[in-house]
Structure formats: C-alpha cells, structure tokens
Amino acid sequence: MSAKIGVLGAGAWGTAIAKVIAEKENDVLVWSYETDVRDDINNKRLNSRYLPDVELPNTLRATSDIEEAAEGKQFLIYAAPSLFLLDTLKKSLTVNSIREGKTIIAVITKGFIPTENGPRLIIETMEDYLPGFFRQSLVYISGPSHAEEVSRGKLTGLIAASENPKNSIRFRDLLKNPRLLVYSSLDVRGVQAAAATKNVIAIAFGILDAMKTIGKIDMLGDGTESLLLAAGLNEIQQLGTALGATHPETFTSISGIGDLDVTCRSIYGRNRRFGREIIEKNILAPYKNIDDLLSRIGEIGYLPEGIAAAKYIQILAEKYKLKIPVCVAICKLLNKELNPHGFCKNLLAGWDNT
C-alpha cells in the first residue's frame, strides 16, 4: 500500500532519496526553497540545479510551501543542509501532523547544530524543538552514499539509526529496494558523529591528494592517504565516544569506515573537491577566516558540509580534551592560521606525537 511522504529539502541528496521512495509508487512531495528547482521538478521531471540528467518519477512533486510538504504525511524526512536545518525545522513546527505526533520523522542531514551551549548533534537538538512525542523516536539515516549514484540505481548501503527500533525498521522498509540496502542501528549518536566528522577528513584527503598529484610535496603517496584514512577513523571514534556513542562496531561498519572511505575517494565528494580546490584554485584566498567563509559560503557554488563541521569539532575537541590533529589542522587552515604547507607540517607533527 502506498504512503504519503514529505521531504524537506530539494538538494541532491533530498531529491535522490525522494526519487527512491517515489519509485515504489509512494506519493512524495518535496519542499524546495528555490522556486526554479520546484518548477523544474514539476514541469520537466528534473532537478537540473542539484541532480542534473536524472529523470524523476511522476509520483514525485515539489512545492515551495513547507506546510503543504509536511502536512498529513505518514513519513517526513528533513534534508536541508546543516547550516539551514534548524530554520527549516522551526518553519515546520506549526504543521498539525507534527504538533499532534502523527508523522514519523527522519533526518538525512550531516553535521552539527550551533546552540548557546555549543555545537550539538542534530537529533538531540531537534528533540528540544519538537513535541515530546518525538523524543527517542527520530530516525537518523546515513551511510556511504552519493546522490548521483543512488538516484541512478547503483548498489548502496545505508544505516537507519533510532532509539525506537520500530521506527528504524519502518524507514528501512520505506527506503530499501534491490539496489539500496538499509540496516538498522540503535547507536544514533555514533552514527551522527561519524557522518559529520568524515566530511572534515575528506577535506584533508583532497588537500593531500592535490598536493601529491601536482607535485607540491613529493613525500606524499598512496600510503599517506591510507595513513590519513586510519588516523581519520581514529578521530571519528574519539569524537563519537565523547559524544555518547553506544556501539564500537558503529565505526567499523558502513556508517563509519564505509562512509569515510567513499567521501574521501569518490569523484562526487564535495568535501574532497573543496580540499583539492584549496590547492588547485587557491579557493580560500577571498576569505578572511572560517567565519567569513561560512557567511559567504554560497559563493563557492556547492556546499562542503565539512567547513562548518571543522569549526564545531574544534570547539568539541577543546571541550572534551581530544587529540584529533587532522580535524584541528583543517580548522586552523580554514581560519587562515595555517597555509597548506603549514597544514601538512602540522599534521605530520600531530601524527608523530599521537
């Protein structure tokens, strides 16, 4: 039996997930902030801005009315970028289906939410704003995936994490198909920490990759990249544990090492691309520091979530006294405290003292 689903966010990932669900004969309504994206989806069955050349099914429609997208839906998925997620959530709180706890909610956004008490994980922050019905029942969906591949039916695996096992299974069943495998997890905090932190490691990977490729530093090789992946996984695990991860296997599963690997190595990775462009295009030159970069992030032309994550992870590293030299060095680089060569030296020094 078909279901009614709302997806709040018409970026590449939100559109890809909406397509997967709509192809199972479900009625999917996507909320788009941009009216041109809305019209493109409705009139041409395309999202040319964020997911070009992927034909969308007739069961997927778009609206610019957030209440229309969320009202009366059996399942609701928040897909706005982390920088705009809280604002999207606040706009949706007047919807009757949410106020009365009649919809099952999932989140596919990766990152942290800034609050007066410092950076916090997405799910716990959303729980503070949503009605009490939703506490310990939200589902967080993550895994080694790219919208460009999932939307084209490339075999992919995801994790649906929730403290409510029934809701995890409901979203698992909603999403899965022969080419999209979905697994359940109870470790909501660990999966979120891995999803956010791997984007910062991917920026570092892009930097090293570009410096190796164009010969800036001849000591960098394939082994260096493997060293970075191993060190990055260690930092993910440190931060995840500090933030309350409950299952060590989270970090050795697809939500940990799997997501880290694909984000660092895939040609579709926006954070890896950003890291490369720091070297190849001197993309940081127009910005004074990381705050200036975040305030003008639209100028980049795509959204590397690892920029904001780097800032927040630096704060969390100080709070929990963590030794995570890769993430800290990326934050210093984005904040203009280090140049790329200084970044590499800082990184090597940090590894040598770990």
Side-chain angles (χ1 to χ4, degrees):
M1 186 173 68
S2 64
K4 292 184 176 182
I5 294 93
V7 178
L8 304 186
W13 190 219
T15 303
I17 287 294
K19 178 180 185 286
V20 166
I21 299 170
E23 286 174 335
K24 297 174 71 173
E25 302 301 322
N26 293 299
D27 180 14
V28 182
L29 186 58
V30 177
W31 172 70
S32 172
Y33 177 80
E34 301 96 343
T35 56
D36 64 307
V37 173
R38 175 201 66 193
D39 294 341
D40 201 27
I41 291 172
N42 290 335
N43 300 330
K44 299 180 181 178
R45 316 311 310 158
L46 295 169
N47 185 340
S48 302
R49 180 187 291 204
Y50 295 115
L51 198 62
D53 303 320
V54 174
E55 185 176 350
L56 303 174
N58 291 329
T59 46
L60 192 164
R61 297 178 298 110
T63 179
S64 292
D65 184 337
I66 199 166
E67 292 198 4
E68 181 187 5
E71 186 60 78
K73 303 301 186 291
Q74 293 157 272
F75 297 90
L76 185 62
I77 300 172
Y78 285 83
S82 61
L83 289 171
F84 314 112
L85 180 61
L86 193 55
D87 185 57
T88 301
L89 174 65
K90 290 176 179 178
K91 289 178 179 177
S92 67
L93 291 176
T94 57
V95 172
N96 289 329
S97 301
I98 294 176
R99 292 171 60 188
E100 297 171 8
K102 292 183 178 180
T103 188
I104 305 171
I105 293 177
V107 187
I108 60 174
T109 303
K110 298 178 179 180
F112 298 93
I113 303 293
T115 72
E116 292 180 357
N117 298 317
R120 298 180 67 198
L121 293 169
I122 287 171
I123 293 295
E124 66 177 3
T125 307
M126 291 181 66
E127 285 180 341
D128 285 347
Y129 286 86
L130 289 164
F133 310 109
F134 295 100
R135 191 163 294 277
Q136 297 182 320
S137 70
L138 301 182
V139 181
Y140 188 77
I141 297 168
S142 184
S145 53
H146 285 293
E148 295 84 352
E149 292 190 342
V150 171
S151 63
R152 292 176 170 86
K154 303 296 184 182
L155 183 62
T156 302
L158 296 175
I159 293 285
S162 179
E163 294 180 71
N164 183 323
K166 290 183 179 179
N167 284 352
S168 172
I169 292 169
R170 287 175 178 128
F171 265 101
R172 183 189 71 189
D173 292 343
L174 179 70
L175 290 168
K176 70 178 183 179
N177 64 43
R179 297 188 179 189
L180 184 61
L181 311 178
V182 186
Y183 306 92
S184 293
S185 171
L186 296 172
D187 191 3
V188 184
R189 288 176 172 269
V191 173
Q192 288 180 91
T197 311
K198 55 94 182 182
N199 285 329
V200 183
I201 307 301
I203 295 176
F205 192 96
I207 291 170
L208 294 190
D209 188 39
M211 296 186 87
K212 178 187 73 170
T213 303
I214 63 179
K216 292 277 187 177
I217 299 182
D218 60 7
M219 68 183 289
L220 302 177
D222 293 345
T224 317
E225 293 178 347
S226 294
L227 175 62
L228 174 60
L229 285 176
L233 182 61
N234 177 62
E235 296 193 12
I236 289 171
Q237 189 162 5
Q238 281 193 64
L239 183 62
T241 301
L243 293 175
T246 56
H247 293 63
E249 60 269 25
T250 293
F251 306 108
T252 54
S253 77
I254 61 172
S255 60
I257 185 60
D259 204 2
L260 174 63
D261 180 70
V262 76
T263 305
C264 288
R265 296 190 187 278
S266 174
I267 60 172
Y268 299 117
R270 292 186 299 273
N271 293 282
R272 172 191 169 170
R273 174 185 172 184
F274 181 72
R276 287 189 62 88
E277 290 184 351
I278 289 174
I279 306 302
E280 296 172 341
K281 298 183 178 180
N282 196 20
I283 199 170
L284 294 180
Y287 307 102
K288 297 177 182 177
N289 52 40
I290 193 169
D291 290 324
D292 186 34
L293 176 58
L294 285 169
S295 69
R296 300 160 57 194
I297 201 165
E299 298 174 4
I300 295 175
Y302 58 95
L303 183 59
E305 293 270 17
I307 298 172
K311 175 181 177 178
Y312 301 138
I313 289 172
Q314 162 83 337
I315 296 170
L316 293 168
E318 293 176 358
K319 177 180 179 180
Y320 293 107
K321 297 179 173 57
L322 304 177
K323 292 183 178 180
I324 49 174
V326 179
C327 290
V328 170
I330 285 293
C331 184
K332 288 182 177 180
L333 175 69
L334 299 179
N335 204 40
K336 296 294 186 76
E337 298 173 50
L338 293 172
N339 60 30
H341 282 83
F343 163 77
C344 288
K345 291 179 181 178
N346 190 280
L347 202 58
L348 292 172
W351 284 342
D352 192 46
N353 293 325
T354 299

